[in-house]
Amino acid sequence: EADIYQTPRYLVIGTGKKITLECSQTMGHDKMYWYQQDPGMELHLIHYSYGVNSTEKGDLSSESTVSRIRTEHFPLTLESARPSHTSQYLCASSATDRGPMFFGPGTRLTVL
Amino acid sequence: DAKTTQPPSMDCAEGRAANLPCNHSTISGNEYVYWYRQIHSQGPQYIIHGLKNNETNEMASLIITEDRKSSTLILPHATLRDTAVYYCIATVGGGSNYKLTFGKGTLLTVNP
């Protein structure tokens, strides 16, 4: 069973606030990912990392930023939240470049 | 990534085998076929993957045609808990190319 954690699970916040969504994994995986999913819609890759100090933008443009200072930690930050950022954010990790990708439970973000 | 085509929805009776098809007629020789599922907006769950040989694990079997243009995921004895959206993804593994692009998938409903 994969050990990948996301906090908070639910977040309701006002427009203009800065927020950080946390993602941690205890498996020592080098590869980590952030996906965004609106209700009933497809998942879209917004950021990924292949190791410490490596971050790349995904297929869907996002105003969020990420950092990878430690292997186990891959936080996502929104400097100024807007209602258009309301969505579910899913973090994932993988040990290899062909094997299973393990997903966290997600953070449901609502920006009022 | 090769484009994959899946039926939008399928039904299956509880206890029967669920056979989920996926077409990937433009798949290249180094692209793997991955299957994931997502239960009610939880994080996607890895099921199985393969290159050209049939694969089986404790969750499912993956049958890939000899020309690799299509595949079938088989859940041998479907239960109500298998109701989920199932995603078929074809992608190249290896290094910086390893990331998953999710489509709309197939909503499998297992009926009592």
Side-chain angles (χ1 to χ4, degrees), chain A residues 9-36:
Chain A
R9 293 290 310 278
Y10 302 90
L11 179 61
V12 180
I13 201 163
T15 296
K17 299 292 186 182
K18 177 180 179 179
I19 60 170
T20 296
L21 308 184
E22 302 288 349
C23 175
S24 296
Q25 49 94 5
T26 59
M27 300 168 285
H29 290 174
D30 285 329
K31 297 169 176 47
M32 296 190 73
Y33 308 81
W34 277 103
Y35 284 83
Q36 182 177 344

Side-chain angles (χ1 to χ4, degrees), chain A residues 6-85:
Chain A
Q6 291 187 243
T7 56
R9 293 290 310 278
Y10 302 90
L11 179 61
V12 180
I13 201 163
T15 296
K17 299 292 186 182
K18 177 180 179 179
I19 60 170
T20 296
L21 308 184
E22 302 288 349
C23 175
S24 296
Q25 49 94 5
T26 59
M27 300 168 285
H29 290 174
D30 285 329
K31 297 169 176 47
M32 296 190 73
Y33 308 81
W34 277 103
Y35 284 83
Q36 182 177 344
Q37 184 179 33
D38 293 335
M41 304 297 286
E42 301 167 38
L43 290 92
H44 293 286
L45 180 67
I46 53 174
H47 298 284
Y48 59 101
S49 167
Y50 289 115
V52 171
N53 294 326
S54 142
T55 61
E56 300 285 345
K57 291 190 178 297
D59 303 322
L60 179 69
S61 176
S62 173
E63 294 169 347
S64 59
T65 59
V66 292
S67 62
R68 189 86 183 278
I69 299 172
R70 302 198 314 265
T71 297
E72 63 271 22
H73 196 212
F74 191 40
L76 181 146
T77 299
L78 279 165
E79 290 292 332
S80 179
R82 296 208 298 269
S84 61
H85 297 139

Side-chain angles (χ1 to χ4, degrees), chain A residues 31 33 35 37 39-45 48 50 57-59 88 90 94 96-106 108, chain B residues 1 30 32 34 36 38 40-47 49 87 89 92-105:
Chain A
K31 297 169 176 47
Y33 308 81
Y35 284 83
Q37 184 179 33
M41 304 297 286
E42 301 167 38
L43 290 92
H44 293 286
L45 180 67
Y48 59 101
Y50 289 115
K57 291 190 178 297
D59 303 322
Q88 178 170 235
L90 291 152
S94 176
T96 70
D97 53 20
R98 287 192 182 88
M101 194 178 282
F102 297 99
F103 282 80
R108 289 189 182 274
Chain B
D1 297 350
N30 59 350
Y32 286 72
Y34 295 82
Y36 284 75
Q38 188 174 27
H40 193 57
S41 296
Q42 296 176 17
Q45 178 188 22
Y46 166 81
I47 301 173
H49 76 284
Y87 300 99
I89 302 165
V92 175
S96 60
N97 289 326
Y98 186 51
K99 49 185 177 173
L100 300 178
T101 301
F102 289 81
K104 297 185 188 301

